[in-house]
Amino acid sequence: MNRTLLYHQKHLVILILIGVIVFLGCNSSTKTSKSSTITSTVAKSSSINHIEGMVWIPEGSFYRGAVPQDRMAMQHEKPRHLVEVEGFFMDIHPVTNKQFRAFVLATGYVTIAERAVDWEEIRKQLPPNTPKPHDSLLQAGSLVFKKTQESVPNLYDYSQWWFWQIGANWKHPNGPGSSIASKDEYPVIHIAYDDALAYCEWAGKRLPTEAEWEYAARANSINSIYFWGDDANNLSKKANTWEGEFPVENTLEDGFERLAPVMRFPANDLGLYDMAGNVWEWTSDWYNVKYYTQMKQLGRVKNPKGPALPYNPNNPNASEKVIKGGSFLCSKSYCASYRISARMATSIDSSLEHLGFRTVKSK
């Protein structure tokens, strides 16, 4: 059986049995030094062929990780370390429903969230004598967000606003009865890691490394918290995020309660849209809590591809990749993951209402 599907099914049973969703947190101004400058420029090289729907990201170097003045930075965004990246093409915006539909129609691909659940395969990785849930619960689906009725004192308990929705997938983002009709230009969601890889193979592209993603997002904002600078007061004009008390009330200052169509907010200096908020985006890097410290010790690193193995003591049995960019659920009250350096660990089997992807292509 496909390993990703197996993880996905095991994850489902755990949710059913214990009702807990475990994810890693979503959760002073300095002058630019010579060593912390992106050495490339925004201008495109005339020798680079144009690819429709993509932007050329020139080679250069930058400091990956949280900037000193970022008070919301989490420990796994530190220490800041010097990285060099070769040039590459990157999608102007996340892959849309229209683009993903073209892939599915051409290949017949079925996403992880749409696949049948096999209890016999699941039980092999569960404790002995684990009782089988009722067949009505062992059905394909995905994780969907639901607002709470009152304030949440513990924002580390994500099960309070995430729930398993049978029948939720990229075509039915909120479960049976929901639809993406008239939403061609919205980011495709409920995409597990293998789903994104399958699309990349069909399109002749790949997922970005974490270094490539953050380098492209930072553009010329080499020492800034956000792609537009350090002023959080501009947030509602720059990104689709959660305004108000999370997860109770969204004041809709940015005009959207959930997803927004792509390219509704300003691009960064490289012409890339939605690099903050709207949907989290897969990268190809394994998540390892020790990785940034190891990179710092190596000094300047060229084209890092991430750690060889995943490691997260808070979720030791999961195989997790790094996702970047934040989403429409990111709030300044507890995570502010629309910050450039923000990162999260997500199991490769997971598909969620706020998770999509974009692709890159080497020269």
Side-chain angles (χ1 to χ4, degrees):
M1 168 176 276
N2 179 284
R3 186 182 69 173
T4 298
L5 179 55
L6 182 57
Y7 278 132
H8 180 67
Q9 295 172 341
K10 181 181 177 183
H11 183 65
L12 166 58
V13 171
I14 291 172
L15 288 176
I16 293 170
L17 294 177
I18 66 175
V20 176
I21 302 170
V22 180
F23 296 109
L24 185 70
C26 168
N27 189 325
S28 39
S29 182
T30 57
K31 292 185 178 180
T32 303
S33 65
K34 291 182 180 179
S35 62
S36 64
T37 302
I38 293 179
T39 57
S40 61
T41 62
V42 176
K44 297 178 181 178
S45 169
S46 59
S47 63
I48 303 299
N49 294 327
H50 173 72
I51 298 179
E52 185 178 359
M54 305 189 85
V55 170
W56 173 249
I57 312 299
E59 65 179 2
S61 59
F62 76 113
Y63 274 93
R64 177 171 61 175
V67 295
Q69 72 271 24
D70 187 353
R71 296 181 179 179
M72 291 295 292
M74 300 178 71
Q75 192 58 41
H76 69 166
E77 300 170 37
K78 304 172 183 178
R80 207 175 184 206
H81 51 281
L82 186 59
V83 170
E84 182 179 345
V85 178
E86 292 181 349
F88 59 96
F89 289 96
M90 180 175 245
D91 288 342
I92 293 174
H93 55 68
V95 173
T96 63
N97 288 323
K98 181 179 180 179
Q99 291 172 314
F100 198 78
R101 183 188 298 112
F103 155 64
V104 170
L105 290 175
T107 63
Y109 184 82
V110 177
T111 62
I112 301 297
E114 299 172 273
R115 300 181 192 177
V117 176
D118 187 336
W119 168 248
E120 293 305 317
E121 290 294 336
I122 296 172
R123 67 186 302 178
K124 295 175 183 178
Q125 295 193 32
L126 294 174
N129 302 317
T130 298
K132 179 183 178 182
H134 193 276
D135 288 342
S136 64
L137 297 177
L138 292 175
Q139 298 184 47
S142 190
L143 293 167
V144 173
F145 170 79
K146 184 177 182 179
K147 290 196 294 186
T148 60
Q149 297 297 313
E150 54 188 25
S151 298
V152 175
N154 178 15
L155 287 172
Y156 291 98
D157 181 5
Y158 307 108
S159 66
Q160 296 171 97
W161 56 84
W162 284 109
F163 72 100
W164 183 263
Q165 176 63 63
I166 293 172
N169 54 57
W170 75 276
K171 292 181 289 188
H172 305 289
N174 297 110
S178 62
S179 171
I180 57 171
S182 75
K183 292 186 176 181
D184 278 358
E185 301 310 315
Y186 282 69
V188 65
I189 53 175
H190 295 296
I191 299 298
Y193 186 74
D194 271 10
D195 301 332
L197 290 185
Y199 177 93
C200 287
E201 182 177 1
W202 172 77
K205 301 175 184 178
R206 59 180 174 83
L207 290 175
T209 65
E210 182 184 9
E212 289 172 332
W213 197 102
E214 187 165 326
Y215 174 66
R218 190 162 291 284
N220 289 329
S221 300
I222 52 179
N223 276 324
S224 298
I225 299 173
Y226 316 107
F227 77 78
W228 61 87
D230 285 347
D231 188 359
N233 292 324
N234 291 326
L235 180 60
S236 64
K237 298 178 181 178
K238 300 293 186 179
N240 178 22
T241 64
W242 186 282
E243 294 99 358
E245 182 185 357
F246 183 86
V248 182
E249 180 186 13
N250 190 333
T251 59
L252 307 181
E253 291 177 38
D254 58 28
F256 299 93
E257 182 163 17
R258 283 176 130 91
L259 278 182
V262 298
M263 302 176 67
R264 288 296 178 92
F265 294 86
N268 71 0
D269 286 346
L270 288 172
L272 297 168
Y273 292 85
D274 301 314
M275 297 296 280
N278 217 16
V279 292
W280 284 97
E281 300 178 15
W282 287 108
T283 75
S284 60
D285 286 29
W286 289 116
Y287 176 81
N288 188 312
V289 295
K290 301 178 180 180
Y291 183 57
Y292 273 28
T293 299
Q294 294 169 350
M295 290 297 98
K296 180 69 173 181
Q297 294 170 348
L298 292 176
R300 188 187 188 101
V301 180
K302 184 173 183 179
N303 297 320
K305 299 295 193 294
L309 296 170
Y311 174 66
N312 181 3
N314 294 322
N315 201 8
N317 296 320
S319 296
E320 297 175 315
K321 293 285 185 174
V322 175
I323 58 175
K324 296 284 289 181
S327 77
F328 64 87
L329 295 180
C330 287
S331 163
K332 64 181 179 182
S333 66
Y334 80 104
C335 74
S337 288
Y338 37 78
R339 297 172 296 106
I340 299 173
S341 65
R343 57 204 299 260
M344 191 167 79
T346 297
S347 297
I348 57 175
D349 57 290
S350 294
S351 58
L352 304 100
E353 186 184 350
H354 68 344
L355 177 57
F357 71 107
R358 77 176 72 207
T359 71
V360 299
K361 186 178 180 65
S362 301
K363 181 171 61 175

